[in-house]
Amino acid sequence: MLVVLNARLCTLWALLAALLFVGAPPVRAAAAVKRDFSEGQIDNGEALSQLSTEALQSSQQLHKRLVARGANSGCTVDKIRIRREWRTLPKSERRAFIAAVKCLQSSPSLLDPAVVPASKTLWDDFVAIHLFQTGNIHLTATFLTWHRYFTWTYEQKLRDVCGYKGTFPYWEWGLDVHNPAGSPVFDGSDTSLSGNGAYSPHEGLWITQAFSGNVLKLQPGTGSGCVTSGPFKDLKVRLGTVVMPQYGNPNWTGSANPLGEGNERCLKRDLNAWVASAFTSFRNTTELILENNNVEMFQAIMQADDRYVVGQLGVHGGGHYTIGGDPGADPFISPGDPGFYLHHAQIDRVFWIWQMLDFQHRQGVWGTSTLQNMPPSPNVTVEDTVDISPLNGPVKIKDLMNTVGGSPFCYVYFKESLDMKTSTSFALLGLIAGTAVAKTDLAGCTRTQMGNTYVYYVPDTGEICSLLDCGGGRAPPKTTVPGCAAYEGTATVTPSFLPGFGAAASTSTPSSGASTGPASTTSGVGQASTTPTATGGSSASTSSGEDKTQVTSTGISSNPPGKTVIITGTKETTAGTSGGSSGASGSKTQGSSGSSSSSTAGAAAVTAAAKGAAGLVAGAVAYLAL
Ligand SMILES: *[C@@H]1O[C@H](CO)[C@@H](O)[C@H](O)[C@H]1NC(C)=O
Ligand SMILES: *[C@@H]1O[C@H](CO)[C@@H](O)[C@H](O)[C@H]1NC(C)=O
Ligand SMILES: *[C@@H]1O[C@H](CO)[C@@H](O)[C@H](O)[C@H]1NC(C)=O
């Protein structure tokens, strides 16, 4: 039953994606859209939401152009996946995702146990590959595309090996800066990625910046001990530590043999609202996107490269140190915390938004293949490859620039929904149930038939309208819902929109109090019931120049109960890397630039760290590069 339901949800998203990329008519170019956001809109996330909507529209246009040129056979409309914010996934889907992650954590390793004895599972392999390449994928030309490919490969493994069929989630940091421990991602519930570490009094982390020598002293978080709640409280951390910063001490520590057996330990966290508020607010993300017009500066500010800015974490380090703990605070092994992938999906989303605001000029790279160019290495070009074997094969950087290019990517991002009342979990089940969806078109929304179901959308903008729950299926047709075929009253219907689709889609800030101030256009939760105005431009708050009504969904909001069956696919038989030492192994498994000099450098970085040798590179990594 539930499997069927999940399949239906899956079908639904495929339908929506297809509609999004087929039914949507052209929209004006992103460049023409006003960017004069108010301070309030920047602080409460509305600005970022609008940028996200622009990015989605640009992505549609890009996809259409590729299809028109016959250049996109690998990413046809039925294949486009939509990534969404964790808390907008139905709880059943969050549980299915968690179950798939647990499946990875018990799937066999692809690495040679003689080379990486610590890597017992496929989950551990991801940590190991990141560990090997750390010095070549942070503060390099490859940072953005490498992590895009790595995160996407993780998604593929969840699907191919562990049968996950749902949405790949991201974590919108801005929603949680005041209380990350209360985040649906980290609240310790069975639909979270586990909670905080047990609290014990401690000083904050001290992080030494290599290039500048600056020591950044963070305020302590509210945990630091072993994680005690949620699905991953019994997770075994096996690799590392490699370069672990310490509380109240500028020197990092590392295991004598990070790849060896015997390092097994609990997952620790130190959730940190101070770090989150200072480095990952909506303002921080929005300014990163709007104020950096070339990839050199965008990647530098995102990672707070201390060749450019001193004493910062950037949104990248900010997200990592919001989680903190072990392995979360150690940049070599941070993928050992399940939060890593949601954080990096958001990093990728920010990159995607930034790219899509001017895609023509944002497909290049800047820099070399060594961390802060230490040791010096040749410039990387988009013709170079990244390689995360044996997790996934080598691919040219230029093929990692376009998420709807189909070689290999085929996905886009929905913006986060701040209005939890318009639950995504859904009026749409009504659509999938299919039968008695209103026969009348909703005001402003036009019906299109996809398969044997109807999807409603606004022709001008391509926005997807919420579906009415008109009963049907096993339920009797409803006579009291305006717009439904069987409606007996006289009220007219006002269209509402799926989260992420209305031009004025819910952007009120939940409970944080950040919505006051200069933004007179922000009306808090009441925005959910504003009156429609057909045309507009009444304020600078909507990117499309129109105000659309946002009404609370009348749809079904119950989540399907129960559990999801995970199908374990065929096992991979790829041989692991071979090599006599950890250094050689590092050399074999990395190759971010395709040049031998960088391979040597990467191996050297790993070897140095493994031996506990202090060094500029390692110090820089400890601070800047997770
Ligand atoms: C950090 O390491 C340096 C060099 O080994 C040492 O002199 C110093 O005492 C250490 N600091 C602390 C707080 O342990
Ligand atoms: C991040 O945003 C907060 C406000 O949300 C601000 O106080 C802080 O200075 C910003 N940090 C940076 C590095 O701009
Ligand atoms: C490497 O890139 C930098 C920055 O664009 C440029 O100044 C430099 O000349 C390049 N070096 C080579 C050898 O092409």
Side-chain angles (χ1 to χ4, degrees), residues 537-552:
S538 59
S539 77
S541 68
T542 55
S543 59
S544 71
E546 305 179 83
D547 285 329
K548 290 282 191 289
T549 307
Q550 174 72 30
V551 295
T552 305

Side-chain angles (χ1 to χ4, degrees), residues 478-490:
K478 294 190 180 175
T479 56
T480 53
V481 180
C484 291
Y487 179 57
E488 292 167 349
T490 55

Side-chain angles (χ1 to χ4, degrees), residues 19-96:
L19 176 70
L20 194 62
F21 281 78
V22 162
V27 289
R28 80 218 130 287
V33 173
K34 278 208 282 190
R35 300 270 169 65
D36 51 348
F37 298 118
S38 71
E39 299 297 318
Q41 288 174 310
I42 291 172
D43 284 324
N44 70 16
E46 191 175 333
L48 184 59
S49 282
Q50 291 186 22
L51 294 173
S52 192
T53 300
E54 276 186 47
L56 186 57
Q57 292 170 340
S58 299
S59 218
Q60 289 174 251
Q61 298 304 308
L62 172 63
H63 184 264
K64 279 191 154 180
R65 290 197 298 274
L66 292 172
V67 168
R69 292 211 305 262
N72 214 9
S73 58
C75 185
T76 48
V77 286
D78 56 309
K79 295 203 184 101
I80 295 172
R81 292 188 189 283
I82 295 172
R83 293 185 173 183
R84 298 164 60 213
E85 216 282 337
W86 178 253
R87 71 208 73 197
T88 72
L89 268 56
K91 286 188 172 173
S92 59
E93 203 169 335
R94 285 182 244 170
R95 289 194 189 95

Side-chain angles (χ1 to χ4, degrees), residues 123 171 185-186 193 269 323 334 336-344:
W123 167 266
W171 167 38
V185 184
F186 297 117
L193 302 181
R269 284 185 184 146
I323 301 171
S334 54
D337 186 309
F340 175 96
Y341 299 94
L342 273 68
H343 169 52
H344 264 281

